[in-house]
Amino acid sequence: MGEDEVLTTALAVACAAVLGLAVALARTRRRWRAAVGERGWLLERERENATEAAIAAERDRIARELHDIVSHNVSLMVVQASAAREVLGTMPDEAATALRAVEDAGRGALTELRHLLGLLAPAPDGTDGDPGPGARAVGAPLAPQPGLDRLGPLVDRISFAGLPVEVHVSGEPCPLPQGVDVTAYRIIQEALTNALRHGDGGTARVTVRYAGHALRVEILSTGPSVLTGTATPAGGGSPPPAARPHGEGTGRGLLGLRERVAVHGGELDARRRLGGGFRVRARIPLDRP
């Protein structure tokens, strides 16, 4: 074989090798593009799923907040308006006091709703805009969500509405994470509101216990007995007049409380007491990472 033939053969082999490499590279590039496209589609799908989950969680949170605000304040307004109607003709001063309580509860509900709506749709400067006459000034800071430091005013409102409340705090009080603080307050608020609505002639006892690594909250209320349908006074004697009928509600309040507590790794138990009334117990860990 001559030198020219060897060179020709070598050149042909080199060209074939280059062509093979080019084909392999083209195939690899197509596979890479297909993999990148599929990965991008998966990432986009995961992003959409995460967005949908976040929207659903936010809707649930807003629903819980709205329920807590509206249910509590409207319940107070209904009870006070009913009391005012009953004594309007015979005790006008007491009726006027009850109507002022209705007004205060309504203003409180509007204020809390403005704060919530301001957080959902803040103005460009980060504040919720002026909602109308009598509202707070534009630029005033939004009030934080209520915690156990506002337990006193809550108990005062409930007691004034007609449900005597006794509060006991045990253990060494300590600063609480904001979420735990708000959750504990909402548990007590919901339990006392339900007791006010459904436990005619009853009382309530709130116990807050700082137990080292956990916060324990218990609300015990008296009311109509599961067995007899009437509530017996603590000191004996005749039972109070028959309770006025109330709606049973949708159960959203207790469901929302369980979700709140579960977020912090805690447990909530709510059930009727055989002798009458209701019991709500919650344990919320304080050392959860």
Side-chain angles (χ1 to χ4, degrees), residues 249-268:
T250 63
R252 177 182 290 274
L254 289 177
L255 178 60
L257 290 182
R258 287 192 174 91
E259 292 174 350
R260 283 179 181 273
V261 173
V263 166
H264 301 287
E267 301 172 350
L268 182 137

Side-chain angles (χ1 to χ4, degrees), residues 58 61-62 65-66 69 110-129 131 136 140-146 178 182 186 260:
E58 186 65 10
R61 186 189 70 82
I62 295 171
E65 292 296 333
L66 287 175
I69 293 171
L110 289 176
T111 299
E112 291 194 60
L113 286 173
R114 282 198 299 267
H115 290 167
L116 178 60
L117 295 176
L119 291 174
L120 296 177
D125 61 355
T127 63
D128 56 344
R136 62 183 178 82
L142 294 172
Q145 289 186 296
Q178 183 180 12
V182 173
R186 293 302 190 192
R260 283 179 181 273

Side-chain angles (χ1 to χ4, degrees), residues 36-55:
V36 169
E38 183 177 359
R39 179 181 175 84
W41 180 84
L42 291 175
L43 290 175
E44 182 65 24
R45 185 59 182 170
E46 289 179 1
R47 194 158 42 239
E48 291 177 358
N49 291 338
T51 300
E52 292 174 359
I55 292 173

Side-chain angles (χ1 to χ4, degrees), residues 212-235:
H213 299 291
L215 178 71
R216 296 180 181 271
V217 177
E218 180 182 70
I219 303 92
L220 297 177
S221 63
T222 62
S225 172
V226 176
L227 299 178
T228 64
T230 59
T232 303

Side-chain angles (χ1 to χ4, degrees), residues 168-174 208-212:
H168 293 271
V169 179
S170 63
E172 186 65 28
C174 61
V208 179
R209 181 185 175 195
Y210 295 85

Side-chain angles (χ1 to χ4, degrees), residues 65 68-69 72 112 115 143-157 167 169 173-190 192 206 208 210 215 217 260 264 284:
E65 292 296 333
D68 292 339
I69 293 171
H72 171 67
E112 291 194 60
H115 290 167
Q145 289 186 296
L148 292 180
D149 59 330
R150 291 172 59 181
L151 182 57
L154 170 64
V155 169
D156 290 342
R157 291 197 301 270
V167 178
V169 179
C174 61
L176 300 173
Q178 183 180 12
V180 173
D181 201 16
V182 173
T183 297
Y185 177 90
R186 293 302 190 192
I187 291 171
I188 298 172
Q189 180 188 56
E190 178 70 15
L192 292 181
V206 176
V208 179
Y210 295 85
L215 178 71
V217 177
R260 283 179 181 273
H264 301 287
I284 309 174

